[in-house]
Amino acid sequence: MKRRPASLAVRLTVSIGAVITVVLLTFGWIVERSINNHFIQQDVDELNAVVQALKHTLATLPPDIAPAELNQRLANAVSGHHNAQYRISSDSGAQIYATSGSNLDRFAQIAQPVDKITIDTVGIWQDHGETFRGAVLRVATGSPSHPRILTITVATGIDFHLHYLESFRDYLRIITIAACLIAILATWLAVHQGHAPIRRISREMRKIGSDQLHIRLEPKAVPTELVELTTSFNGMLERLENVFRRLSDFSGDIAHELRTPITNLKTQTEVALSQVRSVEQYREVLYSNLEEYERMAKMLSDMLFLAQADNNLLKPELVKIDLQAEMRNLFDYFGAWAEEREVGLELVGVQACILGDRLMIRRALSNLLSNAIRYTPAGGIVTAAFGVESAHIRICVQNPGPAIPSEHIVHIFERFYRPDASRQRSGEGAGLGLAIVKSIVEAHGGKIRARSTADATVFEIELPGAT
């Protein structure tokens, strides 16, 4: 079973919560490092003060000072640094002086002497459960004629600092966890509140039913991030409204178109059965009924063709087609009918070839030509013109006759559309011809448009040329 994706609120809360947690932890780490460095710097300053005091004392000692007085001066050399411990030894390692209670021998042996005490040169060690920070220095004392190299080991206890840092870490952990929880809760509330426009739009969408497709969402009443969604939804509603309207009109038109032949069939059959008739009379009734059946069959065939076009099921079988040759054959086919209506047929333009489905193209041209002949007044001429423009073929079918108003010309390719009284069908066709032409042209990757003036009506087709 496919797992449902996490909600946007959960995703945003987790993402922002993770970022806040990382930021707080990083900030806590920086604060802890800063405090620790501050303590180290304090210890370094204290150790440097002790070393400076010892250097000063050693520099003022007379050469022949007694051991007791030496110990007394070195013991009193450092004042105010009760936490400090130090050890002074000769170059050979013999101890000269050490503070009471200290045990710096081990550190003096393992530590590397340094020239200056800094944060980077101090070391840490433990002795009898206590932790110290210290350093070992070599200093030159005595007169230039009798120089002496002494080793000073100095240290200070840092247990108080370590205990403070440990308690600070515990406190920081609690603060960080509490801050993260509060931040995540605040983030979730903010995200939930931020999604309020989405929930409001969803409620408005749920109110829209099939009988309320005229309703539109107001893009200006939503946040900027939702304008595109609102516009897309309004566009979808508009398309659905058009489809529903077309379906409604289509159903009404079908009922209207089928009612006439069915009524004719019913009436003719009732009349035929109302009294005894001869075989010849029954044959005439059957022929008349057959015409109505053929009309309904053609209508259903056209509707099925358009349904296939709507569902992209038209798959042209491409062959090379000479359009002028096809139009000449159609001129021969419609010649008698055009002559009966006193309409002339004229073919102009250059030879034009395309790759297309021969039957479909023939049907499209036939529909255009028959439509032009039907609405051309006696004495008029229907013109079929072909031209080549770049990689496209242009086909124009023009006929004189009543102009189609501009408000109707945009709907001329819709099914069952009736522009005006001058173009009403008088028992010929079901009003699907131009819709079929448009479907065929689009299935071949082309375009069709119509324009009408007081002088003529022109249907213009543009198709990709044969390469």
Side-chain angles (χ1 to χ4, degrees):
M1 182 176 179
K2 189 175 182 179
R3 187 178 180 181
R4 181 188 296 274
S7 67
L8 292 178
V10 171
R11 292 183 183 182
L12 288 175
T13 301
V14 171
S15 300
I16 297 175
V19 172
I20 292 175
T21 301
V22 171
V23 171
L24 290 176
L25 291 175
T26 303
F27 177 75
W29 179 80
I30 292 173
V31 171
E32 181 184 351
R33 284 294 300 264
S34 178
I35 294 175
N36 186 50
N37 288 337
H38 174 70
F39 285 152
I40 295 175
Q41 187 61 52
Q42 280 186 333
D43 295 338
V44 168
D45 293 342
E46 182 177 6
L47 295 175
N48 279 320
V50 171
V51 170
Q52 290 301 323
L54 292 175
K55 283 184 177 180
H56 177 73
T57 301
L58 291 172
T60 60
L61 291 176
D64 55 349
I65 187 172
E69 186 180 355
L70 175 62
N71 291 338
Q72 184 63 35
R73 286 197 181 188
L74 292 177
N76 297 330
V78 179
S79 61
H81 299 279
H82 305 292
N83 195 37
Q85 299 181 10
Y86 51 91
R87 176 181 182 270
I88 302 174
S89 60
S90 64
D91 191 32
S92 61
Q95 179 175 301
I96 298 175
Y97 177 81
T99 53
S100 61
S102 63
N103 185 11
L104 303 178
D105 296 341
R106 177 171 168 269
F107 180 66
Q109 295 173 359
I110 63 174
Q112 293 293 330
V114 297
D115 297 328
K116 185 178 180 181
I117 300 177
T118 64
I119 292 178
D120 298 325
T121 58
V122 293
I124 296 177
W125 82 97
Q126 288 184 335
D127 185 39
H128 296 93
E130 291 187 64
T131 305
F132 298 90
R133 178 176 287 118
V136 178
L137 293 91
R138 291 186 182 277
V139 297
T141 62
S143 62
S145 59
H146 296 87
R148 296 179 62 189
I149 302 298
L150 301 180
T151 300
I152 300 177
T153 304
V154 62
T156 182
I158 60 172
D159 284 336
F160 173 78
H161 294 170
L162 296 178
H163 292 159
Y164 177 82
L165 286 173
E166 186 62 31
S167 62
F168 178 78
R169 289 192 191 96
D170 294 338
Y171 178 74
L172 189 62
R173 290 190 190 99
I174 295 173
I175 293 298
T176 301
I177 293 174
C180 288
L181 293 177
I182 294 173
I184 290 173
L185 178 61
T187 300
W188 184 86
L189 292 175
V191 171
H192 182 77
Q193 184 63 26
H195 286 171
I198 298 179
R199 293 192 295 275
R200 178 173 58 81
I201 291 176
S202 298
R203 289 193 296 270
E204 294 180 7
M205 289 179 177
R206 284 194 291 268
K207 295 178 183 178
I208 300 176
S210 59
D211 58 338
Q212 297 175 315
L213 294 177
H214 62 282
I215 297 177
R216 296 292 183 271
L217 301 179
E218 181 53 54
K220 295 182 179 180
V222 301
T224 305
E225 294 80 3
L226 299 179
V227 170
E228 185 176 355
L229 173 64
T230 303
T231 304
S232 299
F233 182 76
N234 288 341
M236 182 188 69
L237 284 180
E238 185 173 355
R239 292 190 296 272
L240 287 175
E241 185 180 16
N242 292 335
V243 170
F244 269 78
R245 185 179 65 252
R246 289 176 58 186
L247 285 175
S248 178
D249 296 342
F250 191 58
S251 300
D253 289 333
I254 289 176
H256 174 77
E257 295 295 338
L258 291 178
R259 181 177 60 184
T260 300
I262 291 176
T263 300
N264 292 342
L265 289 171
K266 182 174 178 295
T267 301
Q268 292 174 5
T269 303
E270 288 176 347
V271 170
L273 295 178
S274 63
Q275 60 184 6
V276 178
R277 300 181 182 277
S278 65
V279 174
E280 188 63 28
Q281 290 174 328
Y282 281 125
R283 182 179 285 107
E284 291 180 1
V285 171
L286 291 176
Y287 273 124
S288 178
N289 289 351
L290 180 61
E291 291 180 357
E292 297 296 342
Y293 285 131
E294 289 177 348
R295 179 181 175 184
M296 287 191 293
K298 185 179 184 305
M299 185 188 309
L300 293 175
S301 175
D302 291 344
M303 289 166 54
L304 178 60
F305 184 89
L306 291 174
Q308 291 176 332
D310 289 342
N311 291 280
N312 298 320
L313 298 178
L314 294 182
K315 304 299 181 183
E317 296 181 3
L318 302 180
V319 297
K320 191 171 184 179
I321 303 173
D322 187 339
L323 294 176
Q324 282 194 335
E326 291 293 332
M327 188 60 76
R328 290 192 194 95
N329 293 334
L330 291 175
F331 276 11
D332 293 340
Y333 180 79
F334 288 107
W337 181 42
E339 185 177 349
E340 180 184 346
R341 298 179 62 93
E342 299 181 5
V343 173
L345 302 177
E346 182 179 4
L347 180 64
V348 297
V350 299
Q351 184 181 22
C353 296
I354 65 168
L355 290 177
D357 188 295
R358 189 178 301 278
L359 294 179
M360 288 188 187
I361 295 298
R362 184 177 298 168
R363 186 175 187 177
L365 297 178
S366 174
N367 287 352
L368 285 180
L369 187 58
S370 63
N371 185 75
I373 295 173
R374 182 178 296 115
Y375 297 111
T376 299
I381 298 177
V382 174
T383 303
F386 298 88
V388 179
E389 296 182 5
S390 183
H392 292 84
I393 303 299
R394 192 175 301 278
I395 309 168
C396 293
V397 177
Q398 175 178 316
N399 67 278
I404 304 175
S406 57
E407 64 268 20
H408 296 303
I409 198 72
V410 296
H411 302 289
I412 197 68
F413 295 105
E414 296 180 6
R415 303 164 193 184
F416 300 113
Y417 188 76
R418 299 173 174 84
D420 54 27
S422 66
R423 288 201 167 232
Q424 288 286 341
R425 296 180 300 278
S426 56
E428 299 181 4
L432 299 174
L434 293 180
I436 291 176
V437 173
K438 182 180 179 182
S439 298
I440 292 175
V441 170
E442 291 179 349
H444 284 77
K447 301 176 183 178
I448 184 171
R449 47 187 171 269
R451 61 179 185 274
S452 183
T453 64
D455 298 327
T457 297
V458 180
F459 290 89
E460 186 175 292
I461 297 176
E462 185 178 293
L463 292 170
T467 57

